[in-house]
Amino acid sequence: MRSLPTLFTALLAMGTTTATAVAADLVPYPVGYRDWAHVKSMVIEPGHPLFDSFGGLHHLYANEKALQGYRAGRFPDGSVIVFDLLSAVSADNAVTEGPRKVLGVMHKDAVRYAATGGWGFEGFVGDSQTERAVADKAVTACFGCHEARKDSDYVFSAWRP
Ligand code: HEC
């Protein structure tokens, strides 16, 4: 009769540990990124190979450390790059910003995200700061493609002087 509560306590402890470990690995929402440096913008139209996932108008933003990274070619821990994807509205011979589709984030922490090149990947759905599109699927959803850019620390974009 004594083993049951012991087992229960052990399971409870395990559960708590797992939950804490997962929470600690989650990429934080990039609070204040609209005040960061604008790296570049791009419109991805129907017919482009990335249209299904990234169709629309996106802007890239870099925090202070990521800016150093763009200049040095190696990104220090604490670098954060944001991929702000909005829908592109074409009308009257102009392309303008529509509602936000997803906020993609790359967050550098060489130890925590060692399995994905030292970068944590996340996608916050629409305007939500809590609804996550990636969570533990970073390897298949994001890194599989970014891995091709190993020589530039897994980053595709470049800083235009
Ligand atoms: C099929 C390839 C592919 C996949 C999958 C992919 N990306 Fe990217 N990603 C790109 C390309 C190409 C760029 C460069 C876009 C540009 O130059 O504007 C990019 C740029 C970025 C950037 C800006 C930094 C950089 O590398 O230039 C972030 C942040 C980002 N992606 C996050 C993500 C996240 C989060 C995921 C997973 C949900 C993801 N990406 C999945 C191809 C991909």
Side-chain angles (χ1 to χ4, degrees), residues 50-63:
L50 296 182
F51 182 77
D52 286 345
S53 321
F54 303 109
L57 166 54
H58 69 249
H59 306 292
L60 303 185
Y61 298 92
N63 71 356

Side-chain angles (χ1 to χ4, degrees), residues 69-158:
Y70 273 111
R71 294 194 167 113
R74 264 340 260 171
F75 291 76
D77 275 6
S79 294
V80 181
I81 312 174
V82 169
F83 184 109
D84 194 0
L85 176 60
L86 313 166
S87 38
V89 182
S90 295
D92 306 324
N93 305 311
V95 180
T96 52
E97 298 179 342
R100 178 170 289 113
K101 295 174 82 177
V102 69
L103 194 75
V105 181
M106 287 172 66
H107 188 120
K108 189 78 180 265
D109 184 325
V111 172
R112 184 170 291 172
Y113 305 116
T116 45
W119 288 100
F121 291 83
E122 188 54 271
F124 293 91
V125 180
D127 290 326
S128 175
Q129 301 195 7
T130 52
E131 198 185 331
R132 294 167 180 273
V134 177
D136 60 356
K137 299 190 294 290
V139 173
T140 46
C142 315
F143 189 62
C145 189
H146 277 258
E147 201 173 8
R149 300 294 291 210
K150 190 170 193 289
D151 290 349
S152 50
D153 210 355
Y154 307 101
V155 171
F156 278 96
S157 52

Side-chain angles (χ1 to χ4, degrees), residues 25-83:
D25 288 347
L26 286 177
V27 173
Y29 180 86
V31 176
Y33 76 91
R34 288 283 285 113
D35 295 329
W36 298 355
H38 172 240
V39 179
K40 60 166 294 203
S41 300
M42 178 177 178
V43 179
I44 295 182
E45 300 181 311
H48 189 280
L50 296 182
F51 182 77
D52 286 345
S53 321
F54 303 109
L57 166 54
H58 69 249
H59 306 292
L60 303 185
Y61 298 92
N63 71 356
E64 202 57 47
K65 288 193 169 162
L67 262 184
Q68 292 169 24
Y70 273 111
R71 294 194 167 113
R74 264 340 260 171
F75 291 76
D77 275 6
S79 294
V80 181
I81 312 174
V82 169
F83 184 109

